Amino acid sequence: MPISIHTKNLRKTYDYFKKEAGLTGSIKSLFWREKLYNEALKGISLEIEEGELVGFLGPNGAGKTTTLKILSGILYPSGGEASVLGHIPWKREPAYQKQFSIVMGQKNQLWWDLPAQESFTLNREIYEIEDKTYNYNLEELTELFDIKDLIDIPVRKLSMGQRMKCELAAALLHSPKVLFLDEPTIGLDIISQDKIINYIEEYNRLKKTTVLLTSHYMRDVERLCKRVIVINHGAIIYDGSVENLMTTYADHKIIRLRFSSEFTVNGLEKYGEVLERDRLSAVLKTSKSDIARTTSRILNDIPVEDLSVEDVDIEDVIKKIFTG
Amino acid sequence: MLRIITRYLRLYKAFLFQSLKEDMTYRSNFLTLVVMDIGLVSISVILFKVIYGHVNTIAGWTFHQSIILIGTVGIVREMAYLTFRRGFLELGNHIRTGTFDIFMVRPIASNLHLAMRHLSLSESLGEGITGIVLVVYGILHLNNWSWISFPLYILLLFNSLMVYYGFSLIINSIVFWVVRSQELNTIIYFFMETSRYPADIYRGIGKVIFTFIIPIGIIATVPASALTGRLGWDFAILSLIIGISFLGIGLFVWKMSIEHYSSASG
């Protein structure tokens, strides 16, 4: 498979001014400011093949979004090389811009007061999409994302999940070869989150579009991507298969318990590591491999009103990768 | 070149329709703005009427010539709203919240995309209409008016728009460093307000500054002078040179400045 995205030692340093808190600080900063530097990327090197679906994982401020922004030409890097589809992104050549799309979970690209359909027709002009292709893609995307009834409603009236589906459709109308997704599921409830993930998966399978996706939800990446790149403090700390990452690092689950009556007996330790504990509730960390057995034992032994099982936080997984 | 022009004309049409649809969702706002604009223009006319009650000419301009000048300011402002003006008013927000990202990734020039994204017919429609009315009224009361000056007037109007756009590009480029644009647009607003007065009132160093550095003189005085037969060819050509230079410098400064864009997250 040919290489679609390539970076070598990509670096980005932001400069900003130090400002002390309070009004005095603000006034002082008018006259004297100390320039500070924040190294957001400290040499990112990666290669992504055509048609790959890669998850970019890391806590907030790790450099995921910065990388995506450099690859889409929004930001200029401070050093290093990058090429996407043979183009240098920050030259912002229309020939490149017509071949990729970026969708950002927190930035709305559709016209807020108008139905999504109107933004679609505008995109047809912007990307100079041929009528035949446009009609075909529109049909296909509305079908695939199940948005036939939504595209005639003003965007502001849609729910977040519905809006994200329309955002995705708008970004895919010109059949991009590369798709950057920055936190596409942020703020969505679990059902919408799953749907979006399904659609992305389905689209990638159908079109062989290269997808680079950032998320700080473990489950998105776990379900969607074969390959995952973990980044923290601006450097890649893991690049490989999801299975390997999960078995190696996220080998625990979190069990949250609420007791039906005050439960003061000790001995929760035998089910797992006790993270939090008070009279009516407890949080346990337990091995992933025998989670089913542990929960059934808890339900048997203790008067529990509510029990939920959650993944370990991605931040914890990364912390673990760091500490060893 | 021709292909690029037709492409942008098509895009302009598409964006304009989009903006009109958006405007119509807020119809009452539309009407208020029109009425307000007509009110504001009437105030300047009354002001001039009062002044001309005491003098026959200001720096050689008669009352009716001044009316054409005020009308011309209105027309230029309407043209600006129909092209780029509101985009710059929104620029600060786009940069502060990071939504300027969208203008960096589309296969359209970022400055033109910003302009077209915020086209506004309603915002100074009242000024545009009263502008045309005032210019026509002024013409009817001139005694040395000839049709020949009309094409030159139109040409110089577009030249004024270029000056205005170039100037706005230069001033607004600062926003990529300071992030807030409110104050910057106050400068531009002040600059446009001043254009209501004939540039001939400036003398010496003032004339140089207001022609070459802050080209207030060009915006309204030059087209209005052409229409009222007060403009020599030499100054007309000089104005066109200033127009093209300002646009060129503006585009250059803008291109340099967007490299400094540091997209906000979230």
Side-chain angles (χ1 to χ4, degrees), chain B:
Chain B
M1 188 63 193
L2 191 68
R3 206 195 90 80
I4 294 172
I5 292 171
T6 43
R7 162 143 164 81
Y8 278 99
L9 286 177
R10 275 180 70 104
L11 278 168
Y12 179 77
K13 194 179 126 196
F15 273 101
L16 184 65
F17 283 175
Q18 198 84 339
S19 295
L20 287 176
K21 284 177 228 159
E22 203 182 36
D23 265 359
M24 280 171 209
T25 54
Y26 300 105
R27 240 184 322 187
S28 56
N29 191 27
F30 190 89
L31 201 70
T32 323
L33 284 169
V34 170
V35 172
M36 234 171 69
D37 281 340
I38 293 176
L40 284 172
V41 176
S42 310
I43 292 171
S44 344
V45 173
I46 292 166
L47 185 71
F48 270 87
K49 189 84 194 161
V50 170
I51 297 171
Y52 278 101
H54 301 283
V55 294
N56 284 329
T57 58
I58 300 174
W61 289 67
T62 66
F63 175 67
H64 289 113
Q65 287 172 338
S66 291
I67 288 295
I68 290 177
L69 181 72
I70 299 170
T72 303
V73 175
I75 292 171
V76 173
R77 285 168 65 110
E78 175 63 33
M79 286 168 78
Y81 272 105
L82 277 173
T83 46
F84 60 83
R85 176 77 174 127
R86 207 168 61 132
F88 286 129
L89 297 178
E90 301 284 341
L91 179 62
N93 276 337
H94 281 309
I95 290 176
R96 204 166 37 76
T97 57
T99 41
F100 191 76
D101 289 3
I102 294 157
F103 302 102
M104 302 286 278
V105 299
R106 297 276 190 261
I108 323 177
S110 59
N111 57 317
L112 296 178
H113 189 192
L114 174 70
M116 292 190 291
R117 177 62 184 79
H118 297 288
L119 297 177
S120 172
L121 181 68
S122 60
E123 213 129 343
S124 69
L125 185 64
E127 259 193 290
I129 295 168
T130 38
I132 292 168
V133 170
L134 289 179
V135 169
V136 171
Y137 172 83
I139 287 172
L140 294 176
H141 288 80
L142 291 179
N143 29 27
N144 60 343
W145 143 261
S146 75
W147 279 104
I148 298 162
S149 59
F150 197 70
L152 184 63
Y153 178 66
I154 301 290
L155 175 72
L156 289 171
L157 274 183
F158 278 98
N159 187 58
S160 298
L161 198 66
M162 261 164 41
V163 173
Y164 188 6
Y165 186 50
F167 187 74
S168 299
L169 274 173
I170 295 167
I171 297 290
N172 276 286
S173 290
I174 300 171
V175 104
F176 290 97
W177 277 273
V178 300
V179 176
R180 293 186 61 167
S181 73
Q182 197 68 48
E183 295 81 1
L184 297 175
N185 281 293
T186 313
I187 298 174
I188 296 170
Y189 184 79
F190 174 73
F191 151 82
M192 277 309 284
E193 281 304 295
T194 321
S195 68
R196 284 181 204 280
Y197 308 104
D200 305 69
I201 60 174
Y202 306 112
R203 291 270 175 265
I205 187 78
K207 194 174 172 76
V208 173
I209 290 174
F210 289 119
T211 305
F212 296 103
I213 300 169
I214 314 169
I216 291 169
I218 310 289
I219 300 261
T221 306
V222 168
S225 299
L227 201 59
T228 54
R230 305 172 52 95
L231 189 70
W233 281 106
D234 47 350
F235 208 72
I237 289 165
L238 180 66
S239 305
L240 291 174
I241 293 171
I242 293 173
I244 292 166
S245 321
F246 256 86
L247 185 65
I249 296 167
L251 290 172
F252 177 74
V253 171
W254 175 264
K255 205 172 150 56
M256 301 300 288
S257 301
I258 55 172
E259 295 195 15
H260 204 267
Y261 175 57
S262 58
S263 159
S265 283

Side-chain angles (χ1 to χ4, degrees), chain A residues 101 137 141 144-145 167-176 179 203 209:
Chain A
S101 247
N137 285 354
L141 288 165
L144 183 69
F145 294 169
E167 288 274 354
L168 273 177
L172 295 171
L173 279 169
H174 62 284
S175 329
L179 176 62
Y203 189 83
T209 305

Side-chain angles (χ1 to χ4, degrees), chain A residues 208-226:
Chain A
K208 303 280 170 275
T209 305
T210 311
V211 181
L212 185 53
L213 162 132
T214 77
S215 180
H216 57 258
Y217 297 125
M218 192 66 172
R219 47 195 304 276
D220 286 0
V221 176
E222 194 178 2
R223 282 206 23 216
L224 202 51
C225 313
K226 286 196 185 64

Side-chain angles (χ1 to χ4, degrees), chain A residues 250-298:
Chain A
D251 48 0
H252 285 84
K253 291 243 181 198
I254 301 290
I255 301 178
R256 286 181 190 280
L257 298 172
R258 206 168 68 232
F259 309 125
S260 43
S261 57
E262 282 192 19
F263 181 73
T264 44
V265 185
N266 287 324
L268 282 174
E269 285 76 17
K270 65 183 168 197
Y271 308 109
E273 186 189 334
V274 182
L275 299 178
E276 280 170 41
R277 171 84 164 93
D278 61 34
R279 286 189 313 188
L280 276 170
S281 65
V283 180
L284 304 176
K285 187 174 161 189
T286 177
S287 167
K288 194 181 174 182
S289 51
D290 45 23
I291 187 76
R293 220 153 38 91
T294 312
T295 44
S296 69
R297 266 172 62 209
I298 293 173

Side-chain angles (χ1 to χ4, degrees), chain A residues 69 92 107 109 118 126, chain B residues 7 21 101 258 263-264:
Chain A
K69 280 176 179 168
R92 294 191 287 117
K107 283 172 194 167
Q109 300 187 38
E118 303 280 5
I126 292 173
Chain B
R7 162 143 164 81
K21 284 177 228 159
D101 289 3
I258 55 172
S263 159

Side-chain angles (χ1 to χ4, degrees), chain A residues 97-112:
Chain A
Q97 290 173 320
K98 282 185 182 179
Q99 293 186 74
F100 82 94
S101 247
I102 180 164
V103 176
M104 292 168 277
Q106 288 169 320
K107 283 172 194 167
N108 182 43
Q109 300 187 38
L110 300 168
W111 287 56
W112 191 247

